Amino acid sequence: MVGLLLDCLTTSALLFLVTVGLLIIFGMMRIINFAHGAFITVGAYSSVVAGQYGLSPWLTLILGPLAAGAIGAIAEPLVLRRLYGRQLDTILATWGLALIITQLVTLKFGRGTQPVDSIDLGTVTVLGTPYSSYRLAVIPLVLVLSIAILLILRRTRYGLVGRAVIMDDDLAQTLGVNVKRVRFTSFVLGSAIAGLAGAVLVPMSSVDPNLGLPWLINAFLISLLVGVSTTALAFASLALGSAQVLVGLSFNSVSATLAIPVLAVVLLRLRAHGFVRG
Amino acid sequence: MGGALLAVAALLASGPLLGDYDRSILVQGMLFAVAAVTVDILWGYTGVLSYAQSVFFGLGAYGLAIYSVEFGFSWTGAVIAIVLSAVAACVVALLLGLLSFHSKADWLYVATVTFAATFAFEKVILAGGSLTGSSSGLSGFVLQPVGIADGYRLSGLLLIAVTLGACLLVRSDAGRVMRAIRENEGRSQYLGIRVHRVKILLFAVAACVAAIAGSLYATTQNVVAPDLGGFQLGTAMVIWAAVGGRGTLLGPVGAAIGINHLNAYLSGSIPFLWQLVLGLVFVLVVTYAPGGAASLIGFPIRWLQSKLRVPGGSMPGGLLTVVPHMKAHEASARTTRPLLEVTDVSRSFGSFHAVKAVALAADGGEIVSIVGPNGAGKSTFMRCISDGGYRTSGSVRVAGSDIGRLTPDVISRLGVGQKFQTASVFASLSVFECLSVATRARRPSIWRRTSQLEIPAPAFEIIQMTGLDRLLHHTVSGLSHGQKQSLELAMVMCTEPRVILLDEPTAGLSQTERAAIGAVLRKIATDHLALLILVEHDLDFVQEISSRVLVLHHGELLMDGTVSEVVSSELVQEIYTGSPAGME
Amino acid sequence: MRGNHRRIGRGVAGSLAMALLLAGCGGGDSATEAGAGAGSGDIVIGVPVGLSGANSVVAPSVVQASELAVDEINKAGGVLGRKIKLKVYDDRSGAEGAAQAFTTAIIKDKVAAIVAMETSSARNAGQPIAAKTNTPYIYTSPYEGAACGANLFLDGPVPVQMVEPSAQYFAEKFQAKTWFLIGSDYAYGRGQLAHVRSVVEAAGGKVVGEEYNPVDASDWSSILQKVRSAKPDAIATATAGGAPNVSFLKQWKQGGFEQPSLNLSLDEGTAETIGAAAEGVYFPSQYFTGIESEKNRAFLEALKAKFGAEAKTPNFLSVPQYYGIHLYALAVEKAGSTTSAAVIKALPTVSFDGPAGPVSMNKQHHAGLNIWLGQADATGKTQITEDFGAVDPGAQCPDLK
């Protein structure tokens, strides 16, 4: 029972983590970033590079976001900036970007699983149930991250301006807001958080060029569902993450992996604007 | 159509010239090209980005394979299997379509749901045990495999037939409707085109065609595997369409065949680099040359043609004519109820009430103007009449029937026409095509193209008066602002509405155009007994044509009276106090 | 070109012309190599392998093993006085690529035989093409069993060879009565675990849980949760190789489980890559680098001598490939010709003694193989803990002699 509860919480925390970067970009720019999975992969590969230079695996948590953010900072002016107002094309271009990043990673590191020194925290016993400490540690990490994002959105000038852009970017532009800079910041921030998610996933997954892929669909559907609100994302992650764990317990894992997409698609059909918008 | 004959000849002649190896790769390429054509029809022409065409291709392939494994392979069996799997693909497409195409889902939803469908397909196949062969796929089910030469002819003929069919479709009246939907979905809907139904139908037909290509793939390759329906092939199909040139049919066909061929030659020697190059080309095309290869190749050809064209030669597409309806307009049957009854309609955005309990009863022959300062809720009020899902509360009846929560296309068919505030037209269509899309006298043909159009008299008068009748061949994006406004109005009149909602019909028009439009509007009201509701800022124009004026302020109906009553009202003066420009 | 669609009808032929143009650049050289399979000149063996896709990780070691075998044969004077030549193709680790690769190899390049380590779907796609031309095809990967064809020979292990001795060993050594079986939901995973179940139940044990994750899934938390509540004595896993297995091992380790674990999809190289997360995990194989034999030492040295620093660690996928090439050469020698019919007749009768002991595909085109059990240590190195000796593949193709 305890294990089940912890599974629900940690699964939800991971869902939140892999989705929130996508959400920032979707919220500020109204585009679904199909390269999100590739940015997660880049974040994870920072652990490989860290290993090659003999750095501590903990540093990955900083290197991952830096690397992914840097690639985001290169891609935004080269590709995305030219496509504002052509949202459909942005989907295609970001998918192309994902192909490029994945192939570059493959060319550099090869197709296979990479050996990495990952963080090992062992297990703790929670109310009689042994549980992975690392998985548990994801929960506070996600809490800190979401508070940080909330503070950025509520308290900084970027957040204020960003919210103005969300409401009406034409208006924001006429009011002298540098929409270009807001979009750049959003893309880099979103990419960096994807990189962080990748770095966090390293101790739990195989570091290979397709690391980010399985997370994509769920992240896409959830961000469509919650729109721009981080609070709604927290709620949706908790609900859908728990649903996945419970379906996995009562049926089997194959239906569990379909639980989130099916639930999200149906919810979207019933309430096209998700939990918050409209 | 000569092109198609030529293509068949080229196909038959080229067969023996090519080696077995190239032919066997071309078989694959041509079947993929069929799928690419369906992507182009959906995305290039109708604006529906679907990643799921690989799912239907895979369904077709697996349908044939599973049928042959279970019941043994025979040619009759193969035909049954192809029909069955095409039907299955159709059903899946209808389900996906019902999920994806409705008033609340946007293109983003469609793209994401179809993307998810490719993943789901792979999962289902992998979990399918011995029925689907799981990760190993199924193979060797065609007992007497189709020879390479026959496979080449068969898939070539299918490709030519599908391309030809697609070609006829996109050039037909129905094709015009598809492009209208791509250009401006909202406008299409408010003209009474059942956009979602058209999309679902196209999606289902495209799924059928892709499934047939998939079945043929299974027959000629004698193998099916989960990746046939997976996301990689699904996205590859979109890439072919984009790189080849969306909305050109031939571009995607060429790209599918070409890229598949290069794939066969390059993936062995430089597998990852080749994928990288493909990704780079894709991004470059999308970002810098959205027209794809077809536009790059097409450019010099167009330039040459423009140089070689004899001045005053025949116009492309032949002679187009527009004539007014000859039949006399039947006056709408008089009922005891008023034509439009709006009861306590409200619309709120959260705690903000844009329209508060507005009521209006008006009859044919009236011209009602709605005035009020910016943000008074005038346009919001209009949308409450033309879109059943928009109002928060209250009821609207048109000619006695309650609009309930009906969508704009259905309401348009009840006889409500709306012209939007900013000219909303179909930018890449010609003037003639716009009018033809708007005229829904009959179901648009899926293979014939109208070149003579009968439109209602008011619409004819508008285009005649504004000189649009001399610009029938012109692409709309090149028209002046005033011309676009008039065209939109003419398009609305083509639907023969009885209740006509006009949001600033004279904005951007010259004084003479204004007077002319005013005359037409009056005539529509008196001769055709239509009800006109205008939102107008031009007080002179309002005074000139209105039979009645409503004053809205902060979403509330302040006054409902004749022109002179409103103009002399102190209340109205008060509202506009502090705004020296009067009612502007 | 949006909106400009008037010229479409005219140009349907254009696309075909484009196709013809593209086709023209590749068709030329097919004539020069025709007949390489029969008569004089080099004997060309086609090696389709996943240079891209999932198998690209192991492909280099497989290609090296093939090249080493060819070198050894040619240095010893070739076969029937002719040299053997390799031609490597990319099957993109899947059916679609394999169909292309086999067509190229057999129809365009007219290779004498195919010797290939591939995925099962690639084999299923390629075999009909090879069967149609009666081209000898030696498939060299472990697989789910019961693939049969007059021209098809298989020198890799089938599930029963790996599973039976290992599960019996677990039952004896750890007194494992209750088992939890975990796999990826695909033919190989389900097939392996079905064998484990039958061995466990035959020995009076009990399977307390059997769970499958989708093939591409990397989150095992809900299954681990079920293992935790079922408290089995031992677990057996048969996931898809690569990512699913690595993520399973990491999450198993993180979860602090202590049961002995039999992993039917692990190999030496992957264990080394994963490092500490694979500590203590048992896995059977028909080849380990640590096999103590003169032949194995010589094999390892020969690889090092030929490829130097570039040498890839040989493994359970590359060694059968090495055997496959040698077995083909022996069969040609014995048949006295490269004609398909003669070679196919000779193939089941020849035996090659290599790094993993003598191998002969004399059991209905399958091979009896020596199986060892290995265990990964904390550094990811594998120690051989048990030698099961030669294990029979059982009746895989009763219709073949």
Side-chain angles (χ1 to χ4, degrees):
Chain A
M1 219 29 227
V2 178
L4 188 68
L5 189 71
L6 294 180
D7 264 354
C8 287
L9 287 176
T10 52
T11 305
S12 308
L14 283 170
L15 264 184
F16 181 94
L17 184 63
V18 296
T19 314
V20 69
L22 194 66
L23 194 77
I24 288 178
I25 295 173
F26 181 62
M28 297 287 181
M29 304 160 88
R30 283 293 293 157
I31 53 170
I32 287 275
N33 176 19
F34 270 56
H36 190 69
F39 284 117
I40 293 179
T41 308
V42 167
Y45 269 80
S46 66
S47 67
V48 180
V49 178
Q52 283 171 353
Y53 289 95
L55 302 173
S56 151
W58 287 95
L59 268 179
T60 308
L61 295 178
I62 297 167
L63 287 177
L66 282 180
I71 294 182
I74 298 170
E76 203 274 348
L78 278 182
V79 179
L80 283 107
R81 186 169 297 171
R82 291 163 202 282
L83 294 170
Y84 291 124
R86 285 158 59 193
Q87 291 177 321
L88 203 68
D89 285 347
T90 315
I91 280 198
L92 300 170
T94 49
W95 178 253
L97 200 60
L99 286 180
I100 294 172
I101 294 173
T102 313
Q103 291 309 325
L104 284 176
V105 166
T106 313
L107 278 173
K108 176 81 184 71
F109 297 96
R111 178 67 176 59
T113 296
Q114 291 297 310
V116 281
D117 268 343
S118 47
I119 304 163
D120 188 358
L121 299 178
T123 55
V124 284
T125 307
V126 184
L127 299 172
T129 309
Y131 202 83
S132 156
S133 316
Y134 185 81
R135 253 185 105 88
L136 283 180
V138 174
I139 300 175
L141 176 82
V142 162
L143 286 178
V144 169
L145 180 70
S146 51
I147 290 169
I149 291 173
L150 277 180
L151 285 179
I152 290 174
L153 289 182
R154 298 258 162 92
R155 294 287 159 82
T156 62
R157 186 173 152 70
Y158 159 75
L160 181 76
V161 169
R163 277 183 295 150
V165 174
I166 292 176
M167 296 212 198
D168 188 338
D169 54 353
D170 289 338
L171 190 63
Q173 204 141 23
T174 52
L175 288 176
V177 169
N178 190 341
V179 174
K180 208 189 244 180
R181 193 190 297 160
V182 171
R183 285 171 174 158
F184 177 79
T185 317
S186 309
F187 196 75
V188 174
L189 187 64
S191 311
I193 295 176
L196 176 67
V200 170
L201 286 173
V202 168
M204 290 178 261
S205 29
S206 151
V207 179
D208 60 57
N210 291 327
L211 168 92
L213 205 59
W215 296 94
L216 265 192
I217 293 294
N218 288 347
F220 284 170
L221 290 170
I222 291 176
S223 55
L224 278 188
L225 201 58
V226 301
V228 295
S229 154
T230 13
T231 329
L233 174 62
F235 177 61
S237 301
L238 199 58
L240 293 172
S242 308
Q244 179 183 332
V245 172
L246 293 175
V247 169
L249 183 79
S250 3
F251 301 98
N252 55 45
S253 304
V254 177
S255 30
T257 52
L258 289 175
I260 293 183
V262 169
L263 272 175
V265 164
V266 171
L267 279 174
L268 276 168
R269 177 66 179 90
L270 298 176
R271 268 188 80 74
H273 298 303
F275 290 150
V276 282
R277 282 175 296 146
Chain B
M1 302 318 94
L5 286 176
L6 208 66
V8 173
L11 175 80
L12 297 178
S14 65
L17 297 177
L18 292 166
D20 279 355
Y21 176 63
D22 285 305
R23 271 193 295 185
S24 71
I25 291 174
L26 278 175
V27 169
Q28 271 193 339
M30 290 192 293
L31 292 173
F32 286 153
V34 172
V37 168
T38 67
V39 173
D40 199 30
I41 288 287
L42 288 173
W43 176 41
Y45 286 94
T46 324
V48 178
L49 177 59
S50 161
Y51 284 106
Q53 290 315 101
S54 70
V55 171
F56 305 124
F57 193 85
L59 273 174
Y62 268 93
L64 185 112
I66 291 172
Y67 187 93
S68 306
V69 168
E70 300 290 315
F71 303 105
F73 184 85
S74 67
W75 281 110
T76 355
V79 173
I80 297 172
I82 289 175
V83 172
L84 285 180
S85 38
V87 170
C90 236
V91 171
V92 173
L94 283 176
L95 287 176
L96 268 179
L98 287 173
L99 269 179
S100 306
F101 306 121
H102 58 96
S103 52
K104 285 191 246 158
D106 56 5
W107 54 273
L108 206 55
Y109 181 83
V110 181
T112 315
V113 168
T114 53
F115 195 68
T118 61
F119 278 83
F121 180 87
E122 270 180 294
K123 286 214 170 90
V124 168
I125 293 295
L126 286 170
S130 60
L131 182 70
T132 61
S134 189
S135 58
S136 308
L138 298 169
S139 66
F141 41 81
V142 182
L143 301 180
Q144 287 164 314
V146 188
I148 290 177
D150 287 336
Y152 181 73
R153 279 192 285 268
L154 210 58
S155 31
L157 288 177
L158 179 72
L159 175 62
I160 292 169
V162 168
T163 314
L164 183 65
C167 196
L168 282 173
L169 175 67
V170 300
R171 301 170 79 196
S172 72
D173 292 348
R176 287 175 181 155
V177 173
M178 285 158 51
R179 283 184 296 130
I181 292 173
R182 177 191 72 195
E183 290 299 320
N184 192 336
E185 188 170 329
R187 181 69 271 175
S188 310
Q189 214 164 17
Y190 281 90
L191 285 175
I193 296 168
R194 293 184 180 116
V195 170
H196 302 305
R197 199 178 291 186
V198 172
K199 284 183 179 175
I200 291 174
L201 205 69
L202 271 177
F203 198 54
V205 173
C208 261
V209 173
I212 292 171
S215 294
L216 211 58
Y217 182 93
T219 324
T220 52
Q221 307 294 308
N222 215 354
V223 57
V224 293
D227 43 357
L228 271 185
F231 83 98
Q232 247 159 357
L233 188 60
T235 47
M237 287 172 178
V238 172
I239 293 178
W240 298 331
V243 171
R246 59 190 99 157
T248 62
L249 289 181
L250 285 184
V253 166
I257 294 175
I259 291 176
N260 184 61
H261 225 85
L262 284 175
N263 216 9
Y265 280 96
L266 296 182
S267 70
S269 40
I270 44 165
F272 301 128
L273 202 61
W274 157 238
Q275 290 294 323
L276 180 67
V277 169
L278 197 57
L280 274 172
V281 169
F282 179 51
V283 170
L284 286 176
V285 164
V286 169
T287 315
Y288 299 99
S295 69
L296 300 178
I297 297 169
F299 182 75
I301 297 175
R302 269 198 301 281
W303 181 79
L304 262 179
Q305 278 183 336
S306 70
K307 287 281 153 192
L308 295 176
R309 182 166 292 148
V310 190
S314 69
M315 293 293 269
L319 193 64
L320 302 176
T321 48
V322 173
V323 296
H325 267 322
M326 278 309 142
K327 62 170 186 189
H329 188 87
E330 319 129 34
S332 24
R334 275 275 174 192
T335 50
T336 46
R337 310 190 71 126
L339 187 53
L340 178 71
E341 284 176 277
V342 177
T343 323
D344 291 339
V345 156
S346 304
R347 163 73 199 187
S348 17
F349 300 92
S351 56
F352 171 67
H353 303 285
V355 170
K356 276 182 263 182
V358 173
L360 167 70
D363 227 324
E366 286 189 74
I367 297 182
V368 182
S369 292
I370 306 177
V371 297
N374 274 329
K378 304 183 296 283
S379 299
T380 313
F381 175 66
M382 278 210 176
R383 192 165 165 201
C384 289
I385 301 172
S386 56
D387 180 354
Y390 198 63
R391 67 188 188 282
T392 317
S393 63
S395 75
V396 177
R397 282 171 179 279
V398 176
S401 48
D402 193 340
I403 66 165
R405 291 283 163 200
L406 295 176
T407 46
D409 47 342
V410 187
I411 294 177
S412 160
R413 282 159 188 263
L414 287 177
V416 177
Q418 181 170 15
K419 193 214 149 295
F420 298 109
Q421 190 172 352
T422 45
S424 175
V425 283
F426 306 117
S428 79
L429 272 62
S430 71
V431 171
F432 181 84
E433 286 172 323
C434 283
L435 294 171
S436 133
V437 165
T439 310
R440 47 154 197 260
R442 56 194 153 73
R443 195 180 274 269
S445 164
I446 56 165
W447 54 279
R448 233 194 323 251
R449 182 165 45 159
T450 316
S451 57
Q452 188 180 22
L453 196 62
E454 279 188 15
I455 61 175
F460 185 75
E461 280 162 30
I462 294 169
I463 67 161
Q464 211 175 24
M465 236 168 352
T466 48
L468 282 172
D469 59 340
R470 291 184 302 278
L471 303 173
L472 291 176
H473 288 283
H474 282 245
T475 307
V476 171
S477 55
L479 297 180
S480 74
H481 179 67
Q483 284 168 326
K484 285 183 191 163
Q485 290 276 35
S486 315
L487 177 62
E488 192 189 5
L489 189 57
M491 279 159 60
V492 172
M493 297 318 298
C494 281
T495 67
E496 298 182 77
R498 284 191 288 165
V499 177
I500 304 165
L501 308 171
L502 304 165
D503 207 341
E504 303 191 26
T506 63
L509 297 192
S510 69
Q511 205 53 49
T512 40
E513 284 171 325
R514 219 172 270 221
I517 291 288
V520 175
L521 294 182
R522 264 199 302 272
K523 200 165 168 214
I524 294 166
T526 50
D527 291 6
H528 303 279
L529 285 179
L531 164 63
L532 271 68
I533 300 178
L534 293 84
V535 165
E536 253 311 334
H537 282 299
D538 180 350
L539 192 59
D540 293 339
F541 188 73
V542 169
Q543 282 182 311
E544 199 177 302
I545 76 164
S546 311
S547 59
R548 187 172 161 193
V549 179
L550 304 185
V551 182
L552 278 186
H553 186 52
H554 290 319
E556 282 177 283
L557 182 60
L558 286 191
M559 266 197 91
D560 178 354
T562 62
V563 176
S564 52
E565 278 170 359
V566 169
V567 170
S568 58
S569 153
E570 278 179 22
L571 190 65
V572 175
Q573 302 293 344
E574 257 171 53
I575 294 170
Y576 284 94
T577 311
S579 141
M583 278 194 175
E584 296 249 85
Chain C
M1 211 152 141
R2 256 170 185 250
N4 188 347
H5 52 281
R6 295 203 173 90
R7 265 190 318 281
I8 287 164
R10 238 178 280 170
V12 177
S15 71
L16 277 157
M18 180 176 171
L20 287 172
L21 217 99
L22 283 164
C25 59
D29 58 344
S30 61
T32 55
E33 263 166 7
S40 57
D42 292 341
I43 300 172
V44 182
I45 299 179
V47 180
V49 65
L51 295 176
S52 59
N55 275 356
S56 60
V57 183
V58 292
S61 65
V62 171
V63 172
Q64 282 190 354
S66 317
E67 285 171 355
L68 178 64
V70 168
D71 246 29
E72 289 172 356
I73 295 163
N74 287 344
K75 270 190 193 136
V79 182
L80 307 175
R82 293 160 64 185
K83 295 252 180 262
I84 288 193
K85 213 179 114 194
L86 282 186
K87 231 172 146 97
V88 179
Y89 305 86
D90 181 23
D91 69 9
R92 281 176 262 145
S93 308
E96 194 211 323
Q100 266 183 13
F102 273 69
T103 313
T104 316
I106 294 171
I107 298 174
K108 178 168 164 253
D109 297 345
K110 301 194 164 47
V111 298
I114 301 272
V115 180
M117 195 298 291
E118 300 186 276
T119 58
S120 275
S121 61
R123 179 194 67 243
N124 285 342
Q127 163 61 7
I129 301 167
K132 205 160 80 178
T133 49
N134 201 32
T135 305
Y137 175 15
I138 303 177
Y139 179 73
T140 65
S141 170
Y143 84 112
E144 65 277 9
C148 305
N151 67 317
L152 180 63
F153 294 82
L154 308 98
D155 72 352
V158 292
V160 62
Q161 288 169 295
M162 301 280 233
V163 167
E164 260 177 35
S166 315
Q168 274 159 7
Y169 175 85
F170 260 53
E172 283 162 28
K173 176 150 188 220
F174 302 112
Q175 295 302 311
K177 292 265 177 285
T178 55
W179 287 70
F180 203 104
L181 313 181
I182 301 164
S184 287
D185 195 0
Y186 74 131
Y188 188 68
R190 284 192 180 265
Q192 293 271 32
L193 293 184
H195 279 288
V196 176
R197 178 183 276 272
S198 65
V199 173
V200 165
E201 284 171 355
K206 197 172 164 229
V207 174
V208 291
E210 185 171 352
E211 290 290 331
Y212 294 91
N213 230 1
V215 172
D216 55 350
S218 52
D219 182 13
W220 297 88
S221 51
S222 69
I223 290 178
L224 292 182
Q225 195 54 47
K226 287 179 184 171
V227 176
R228 191 163 276 136
S229 36
K231 295 192 178 62
D233 295 338
I235 63 157
T237 62
T239 65
N245 202 19
V246 176
S247 56
F248 174 80
L249 287 166
K250 285 187 174 182
Q251 289 168 31
W252 173 259
K253 175 93 175 164
Q254 292 256 348
F257 292 90
E258 273 157 12
Q259 285 95 338
S261 140
L262 173 64
N263 194 310
L264 295 166
S265 24
L266 192 60
D267 63 275
E268 251 181 306
T270 310
E272 199 165 345
T273 309
I274 304 172
E279 186 186 354
V281 173
Y282 290 90
F283 58 101
S285 178
Q286 87 287 18
Y287 178 77
F288 285 104
T289 48
I291 294 172
E292 295 284 336
S293 77
E294 203 46 54
K295 292 260 181 208
N296 187 35
R297 267 190 290 277
F299 172 68
L300 289 169
E301 272 160 27
L303 263 179
K304 192 139 270 155
K306 180 164 168 57
F307 299 103
E310 295 293 299
K312 305 282 175 202
T313 315
N315 52 60
F316 72 117
L317 297 166
S318 71
V319 170
Q321 178 75 13
Y322 173 80
Y323 272 90
I325 305 269
H326 273 294
L327 285 166
Y328 173 73
L330 290 173
V332 171
E333 194 73 63
K334 185 163 182 182
S337 133
T338 55
T339 342
S340 291
V343 173
I344 286 170
K345 200 161 158 244
L347 262 170
T349 65
V350 293
S351 171
F352 178 72
D353 192 6
V359 170
S360 169
M361 297 182 286
N362 55 359
K363 316 263 179 168
Q364 299 171 351
H365 290 196
H366 287 68
L369 296 166
N370 290 320
I371 306 289
W372 288 267
L373 188 69
Q375 187 183 23
D377 65 19
T379 62
K381 290 265 178 295
T382 303
Q383 310 299 334
I384 295 178
T385 56
E386 194 69 27
D387 178 356
F388 297 134
V391 182
D392 195 273
Q396 294 294 333
C397 301
D399 292 344
L400 295 169
K401 299 185 293 307

